[in-house]
Amino acid sequence: MHSPLSSDLFEINSDLIRRFGYHHTDYCLYPETDYFVEAFDAHSYSAWLDNRKARHLRRPLSLYVHIPFCSSLCFYCHFNQTVFDKNDNIKTYLEYLSREIRLQGQLFKNDPKVEQLYFGGGTPTFLSNIQLGRIMHEIQQNFNLIKEGEFRIEIDSRQMTNVSMQALTEMGFNCAIIGVQDFDQRVQQSIHRIQSEDITLRAIRDAQQTGFKSIRIELTYGLPKQNLEKFEYTLKKIIAANPDQINLLNYLHLPEKFKPQRNIHSEDLPDTEIKLEMLLLAITRLTDAGYVHIGMNLFANRNDPLVIAQRQGRLHYGLQGYSIYPDCDRIALGTSGIGSIGPTLNQNYCDFQQYYDKLERNILPIMRGIELSADDLIRRSVMQALICHSVLSFDSVETFFPIEFKHYFATELTELLTYEQAGLITLDDEEITVTPKGQLLINSICKVFDKYLRANQQHKNHSMLT
């Protein structure tokens, strides 16, 4: 007996996917970095901080720490990373990262406590116990981390020789994110990431035994050489390991955008029908095993705090994905990190030397950013409501923003009629509701409200006509 969720989701088909597509943008960030401007720099950032202090805004804080190093290049990767070549590089980077932590710490000296911390990469666990411990100590010296906060770290199970799960918990980490691709060796070879089943499952067990309060598995489907049988085997093993959350990641092949993916042969990729079968199989297995679909292909145990928060209407979605914490100011630390202060977004330099040069002069290494307009904030709130709760009340938007929803979004509501006819949403005079199968295409639904995407498309259409 399948849950109502899984049976409804089976109504989705490859024709719907071809028609509406898997939209590539993850609306945890709106607008995307493509629209950031270099005029927004460290001076602009400081000005917004002064404004924040002058208005006595007491928004909670979140920290993101970027560790860009990896031992080898994974061909499917789309993150900012660099392959390790010598230890001096890591030592230098960590020295400058510590400088940045101290600089930011001075700016937030008298601020609220830090509720969330996220170490991403690259591969944070590529660092040793000592190196990670020093960075955590630097953070604890300059920021006030709350005792029961959410402190996440991305873990590569292959890189657990210099660092242990026990050491990570002693440093203060309590949430683990462990990447899994496919346990089949041919798939692993095709993406240049050999990660044995034993090593992966042992990492999950170790994290459970050492007291991590939350373990999330990032499971990718649609990889080269991957088929339904191989994916089912990996999925079965992961479910048996009983992690708290399983995030299904759809591999998007964009070699023109991400250079490592140029090593993957497009003819080795499964077609749309096979990828859809993988997704529907995963939904069935996960719901049968008691996992709840939160949205964005993230599944969690029924008693998970995210599930409870969604049920109570207090789930949030932002730069770090789903969270039980209200919208906060996010401080980005390390190369390429993205942060937010009030109605602004900012990004650090991606280039090591530019990052170092700024810190040498005691200047925050902010490369670019953007001040969100009132329209940006309205549209972001609409997308986040759909992603978190699958329903959007027009009155709720009008309560927070001085607009008449149906007039303001007349173009979007007309365009959404096509989605309603396809069974992805329901529309009435008061709200938009995303159906279960619509949840699988939520990014495509959200893109209707993306002003920047619409402007780009209109520009392309005009260019074709002239």
Side-chain angles (χ1 to χ4, degrees):
M1 177 73 70
H2 300 317
S3 71
L5 176 64
S6 64
S7 60
D8 287 347
L9 286 174
F10 267 110
E11 294 177 16
I12 198 164
N13 55 52
S14 56
D15 290 335
L16 273 179
I17 292 174
R18 288 195 187 94
R19 187 176 170 193
F20 294 96
Y22 284 122
H23 186 53
H24 300 158
T25 300
D26 181 348
Y27 287 107
C28 63
L29 178 66
Y30 180 81
E32 291 186 282
T33 55
D34 291 347
Y35 301 99
F36 289 15
V37 294
E38 292 184 4
F40 189 105
D41 55 11
H43 178 74
S44 307
Y45 180 85
S46 297
W48 273 101
L49 279 184
D50 291 341
N51 179 57
R52 182 181 187 272
K53 292 172 184 176
R55 296 171 61 190
H56 303 288
L57 298 176
R58 307 293 292 174
R59 285 158 63 91
L61 295 179
S62 167
L63 302 181
Y64 173 78
V65 184
H66 188 71
I67 307 297
F69 300 103
C70 294
S71 59
S72 62
L73 183 68
C74 298
F75 293 163
Y76 64 90
C77 187
H78 61 271
F79 295 108
N80 180 40
Q81 44 78 30
T82 185
V83 176
F84 162 82
D85 56 359
K86 57 182 179 178
N87 198 55
D88 286 348
N89 286 355
I90 295 178
K91 182 180 178 182
T92 302
Y93 181 78
L94 296 181
E95 287 172 353
Y96 282 100
L97 178 61
S98 294
R99 287 193 190 194
E100 188 186 8
I101 292 169
R102 291 191 290 271
L103 272 178
Q104 288 277 19
Q106 285 299 307
L107 295 173
F108 291 90
K109 187 166 49 179
N110 301 314
D111 258 73
K113 298 174 181 178
V114 174
E115 294 180 338
Q116 299 174 86
L117 171 66
Y118 190 113
F119 270 58
T123 309
T125 52
F126 185 73
L127 303 182
S128 68
N129 283 343
I130 294 173
Q131 291 169 327
L132 271 173
R134 285 175 180 163
I135 295 301
M136 278 297 286
H137 178 73
E138 198 73 68
I139 289 172
Q140 290 159 352
Q141 289 292 106
N142 289 276
F143 294 94
N144 188 8
L145 277 61
I146 67 171
K147 187 177 181 181
E148 296 300 321
E150 181 182 273
F151 306 138
R152 295 185 176 273
I153 184 168
E154 294 177 359
I155 292 173
D156 184 342
S157 56
R158 304 169 303 165
Q159 301 292 337
M160 297 302 292
T161 53
N162 296 322
V163 64
S164 68
M165 293 292 185
Q166 185 62 45
L168 292 176
T169 57
E170 290 172 358
M171 290 175 207
F173 294 107
N174 53 26
C175 299
I177 300 175
I178 302 174
V180 178
Q181 284 63 54
D182 194 293
F183 289 147
D184 182 81
Q185 195 168 24
R186 288 188 67 212
V187 176
Q188 293 178 3
Q189 288 171 346
S190 71
I191 59 174
H192 201 236
R193 185 186 176 104
I194 305 301
Q195 180 176 324
S196 76
E197 177 181 330
D198 288 343
I199 287 175
T200 304
L201 297 179
R202 187 185 309 125
I204 298 172
R205 287 195 303 271
D206 289 349
Q208 291 167 332
Q209 292 169 3
T210 50
F212 277 87
K213 69 179 184 181
S214 175
I215 299 169
R216 176 184 297 178
I217 299 301
E218 306 262 292
L219 181 60
T220 308
Y221 69 96
L223 292 168
K225 305 288 187 181
Q226 194 177 46
N227 60 32
L228 190 63
E229 184 180 359
K230 294 173 183 178
F231 179 73
E232 183 174 20
Y233 177 87
T234 302
L235 177 66
K236 180 180 178 181
K237 290 289 185 176
I238 293 301
I239 291 175
N242 194 33
D244 303 283
Q245 301 170 5
I246 298 177
N247 194 17
L248 297 175
L249 301 178
N250 172 26
Y251 171 69
L252 295 172
H253 191 57
L254 302 170
E256 68 284 357
K257 188 174 182 180
F258 306 116
K259 289 183 179 179
Q261 295 186 359
R262 296 172 191 174
N263 296 287
I264 291 176
H265 302 297
S266 57
E267 61 268 23
D268 289 336
L269 295 170
D271 61 26
T272 301
E273 282 77 10
I274 296 298
K275 287 182 69 174
L276 178 59
E277 287 184 43
M278 291 179 188
L279 177 59
L280 296 179
L281 173 71
I283 291 168
T284 301
R285 295 286 189 269
L286 289 168
T287 52
D288 286 350
Y291 286 91
V292 175
H293 183 222
I294 293 173
M296 304 293 284
N297 287 352
L298 177 64
F299 293 76
N301 284 323
R302 294 189 182 280
N303 296 322
D304 190 273
L306 291 180
V307 175
I308 296 170
Q310 186 175 53
R311 190 161 58 236
Q312 295 175 346
R314 54 182 180 83
L315 187 66
H316 294 269
Y317 192 73
L319 285 170
Q320 291 180 193
Y322 286 107
S323 173
I324 62 173
Y325 295 100
D327 197 21
C328 60
D329 287 326
R330 187 197 206 207
I331 305 168
L333 300 163
T335 55
S336 77
I338 297 173
S340 63
I341 299 295
T344 72
L345 294 166
N346 61 83
Q347 184 180 30
N348 280 353
Y349 283 98
C350 301
D351 177 79
F352 284 105
Q353 199 54 56
Q354 290 176 302
Y355 175 77
Y356 298 158
D357 287 346
K358 290 293 183 182
L359 290 167
E360 275 290 338
R361 292 180 281 156
N362 287 323
I363 299 172
L364 290 175
I366 294 174
M367 174 177 66
R368 56 184 178 175
I370 189 172
E371 297 178 9
L372 274 65
S373 66
D375 180 73
D376 292 332
L377 295 171
I378 294 169
R379 292 175 184 277
R380 186 173 70 173
S381 72
V382 166
M383 295 174 190
Q384 290 177 352
L386 292 171
I387 289 170
C388 287
H389 310 297
S390 297
V391 62
L392 175 72
S393 162
F394 303 161
D395 285 345
S396 67
V397 179
E398 293 168 350
T399 299
F400 288 98
F401 300 101
I403 66 167
E404 197 281 305
F405 190 94
K406 285 186 281 188
H407 175 73
Y408 194 90
F409 288 114
T411 300
E412 288 79 2
L413 289 170
T414 299
E415 188 173 328
L416 284 173
L417 291 173
T418 305
Y419 289 75
E420 183 179 41
Q421 291 166 3
L424 301 181
I425 62 169
T426 59
L427 277 171
D428 59 33
D429 286 337
E430 297 180 349
E431 64 184 23
I432 302 167
T433 304
V434 182
T435 65
K437 64 179 177 179
Q439 290 175 3
L440 295 182
L441 294 168
I442 188 66
N443 283 9
S444 297
I445 295 169
C446 286
K447 81 173 183 180
V448 174
F449 294 94
D450 187 335
K451 176 188 68 176
Y452 297 90
L453 187 68
R454 186 182 298 277
N456 278 348
Q457 190 59 52
Q458 289 172 346
H459 177 73
K460 287 180 183 178
N461 293 342
H462 178 73
S463 298
M464 290 172 66
L465 293 173
T466 57

